[in-house]
Amino acid sequence: MSISPETKFLRAKIDTNLFKSKLSFSYDYWHFHKRYQETSNQQPWHIRTLTYSHTTNYGTFLIRWQNATRFGNTGNQIEIEAYPQIKKGLNGYINWGLSKQYPVFPNYRLGTSLYANLLKGYEIEAGFRLLRFQSKVWIYTAALGKYMGNYFFNLRTYLVPNSHSLSPSFRLTTNYYFAKSNDYFSCYVGKGFYTISDLYLFNSAHVDSSNAGILFSKNIHNIHILKTNFSIIKQAQYSGIQATLEVSYSVLF
């Protein structure tokens, strides 16, 4: 049975009324195969994330703590994030993060976007991300989404400016929603310099990468959410691949 965008919105609103808060824990494992000559850069990454979010009549607000092991070092990052409802059909995204453990995390990060729901199930987004490593890195992003029955298609681009040009990347995501809220399957493919995580690895934005992944989210007894995400990334500069596995658990209350 097809689920209209209006039905999805009503279900999300019912969930919001029943559960105002969510506590989540996730673990990411990154494996690098023949990617770098330096031994420390071949070691796996481990990222642990604890997130608390709370929903009000004005939107959803959350605080996130991350602990990561990268390049043989371990560090922490704290983030504050908000999804304010500006008016009907128009929502925002604001993110601010801070860390003192460069290069495990950037010194700080800032991001913002605007989301607009259009007619016939279309959705658009535009915004920017700013990361401060040894220098500032600006990333501009835009996306176009479309609901079609139980499916949601989203095409996103990231644009990283440098002294000569823009380094673009593209990512196409397809979500299939089941009858229960937070039950969905997602697959995605991408091309180009597309992830913020890649900025930890390269000084230049000129990176030719291809990637693909799948994600599955399952709601259990209405209050538990299990999620797993697996992806593979291939950089043209290296003979090996990067494989990433994320598992997360959330509880609603």
Side-chain angles (χ1 to χ4, degrees), residues 1-2 17 20-21 23 27 59 75 85 104 116 120 128 139 147 150-151 161 165 174 193 217-218 224 227-228 246-247:
M1 180 180 66
S2 177
N17 291 333
K20 298 292 185 180
S21 300
L23 185 65
Y27 169 73
Q85 184 174 13
V104 181
K120 298 183 179 180
F128 74 88
I139 306 171
Y147 287 98
N150 287 30
Y151 290 91
S165 62
T174 302
F193 186 86
S217 176
K218 176 65 177 175
H224 306 284
K227 188 180 297 183
T228 181
E246 176 190 4
V247 292

Side-chain angles (χ1 to χ4, degrees), residues 85-91 117:
Q85 184 174 13
I86 300 171
K87 64 178 184 179
K88 185 178 179 180
L90 184 64
N91 296 277
N117 296 322

Side-chain angles (χ1 to χ4, degrees), residues 42-137:
Q42 289 182 354
Q43 296 175 357
W45 286 4
H46 305 271
I47 307 173
R48 295 152 286 267
T49 305
L50 183 65
T51 305
Y52 170 75
S53 64
H54 185 73
T55 299
T56 71
N57 294 331
Y58 304 100
T60 299
F61 305 87
L62 61 86
I63 184 169
R64 179 186 298 116
W65 170 79
Q66 283 191 310
N67 173 268
T69 302
R70 296 187 176 107
F71 313 110
N73 298 305
T74 300
N76 299 285
Q77 176 179 255
I78 189 73
E79 291 180 75
I80 298 174
E81 200 164 280
Y83 297 85
Q85 184 174 13
I86 300 171
K87 64 178 184 179
K88 185 178 179 180
L90 184 64
N91 296 277
Y93 161 81
I94 303 171
N95 173 274
W96 177 82
L98 182 66
S99 176
K100 295 183 178 180
Q101 280 90 27
Y102 172 83
V104 181
F105 290 104
N107 296 319
Y108 66 83
R109 58 187 296 157
L110 176 67
T112 184
S113 284
L114 282 177
Y115 299 85
N117 296 322
L118 306 178
L119 297 176
K120 298 183 179 180
Y122 282 97
E123 177 183 283
I124 58 172
E125 176 201 348
F128 74 88
R129 312 291 185 260
L130 170 63
L131 297 105
R132 179 66 164 85
F133 296 93
Q134 291 179 317
S135 60
K136 293 181 180 179
V137 177

